Amino acid sequence: MSLSGTYDDQNIFAKIISGDAPAIKIFEDDVAVAFMDIFPQSPGHCLVVPKEPARNLLDLSDDMAAAAIQRVKALAKAVETALEPDGIVVTQFNGAPAGQTVFHIHFHVIPRWEGEPLGRHGGGQADMDELKAQADKIKAALA
Ligand code: 5GP
């Protein structure tokens, strides 16, 4: 799939935004929704998904880009408080050759621990109870 292209409103993140697909949500407002990644690269891996129907950062409006990065920062701070990682990776992929697999703009917040290798991107599905417990901790830290 090319970098530019038509937005597919049936992508999985569009369905999560519309409520047609489930997600373990951390927060939601008029700008974005944040939820746990079900194929996490580390415990606590979560996503900020702006609601604007844009395929990637290049398509996102300036206003939403500015608002989204504020949510990314707030989520990263809550992850730090809740899970006490040694580091946090924030990533965002544009286009399949860059590693993008879901073609609705999103940011990854991935906690890292010293000596713990990063899991494979889009690897095994996590235990849902563990994801819920992590989401509850992060939510509490946001409050
Ligand atoms: P990308 O490769 O597009 O940057 O990242 C897409 C991310 O979405 C991956 O980390 C993948 O694990 C995650 N993902 C894919 N499908 C689903 C889903 O149905 N629910 C959730 N919560 N995450 C998903």
Side-chain angles (χ1 to χ4, degrees), residues 4-27:
S4 60
T6 309
Y7 177 80
D8 170 16
D9 63 7
Q10 294 302 305
N11 75 77
I12 183 63
F13 292 172
K15 288 182 177 171
I16 289 173
I17 289 168
S18 66
D20 293 324
I24 300 174
K25 289 183 185 173
I26 301 166
F27 74 75

Side-chain angles (χ1 to χ4, degrees), residues 26-51:
I26 301 166
F27 74 75
E28 179 163 15
D29 61 14
D30 53 337
V31 169
V33 56
F35 50 85
M36 302 307 296
D37 193 306
I38 54 169
F39 306 105
Q41 287 186 265
S42 75
H45 180 171
C46 46
L47 303 166
V48 174
V49 181
K51 290 186 172 176

Side-chain angles (χ1 to χ4, degrees), residues 12-13 16 21-24 35-41 45 47 91-94 98-104 106-108 110 120-124 131:
I12 183 63
F13 292 172
I16 289 173
I24 300 174
F35 50 85
M36 302 307 296
D37 193 306
I38 54 169
F39 306 105
Q41 287 186 265
H45 180 171
L47 303 166
T91 53
Q92 189 279 314
F93 304 128
N94 301 285
Q100 188 176 10
T101 58
V102 177
F103 294 90
H104 180 113
H106 57 277
F107 299 82
H108 297 258
I110 308 173
R120 195 163 57 83
H121 185 54
L131 290 189

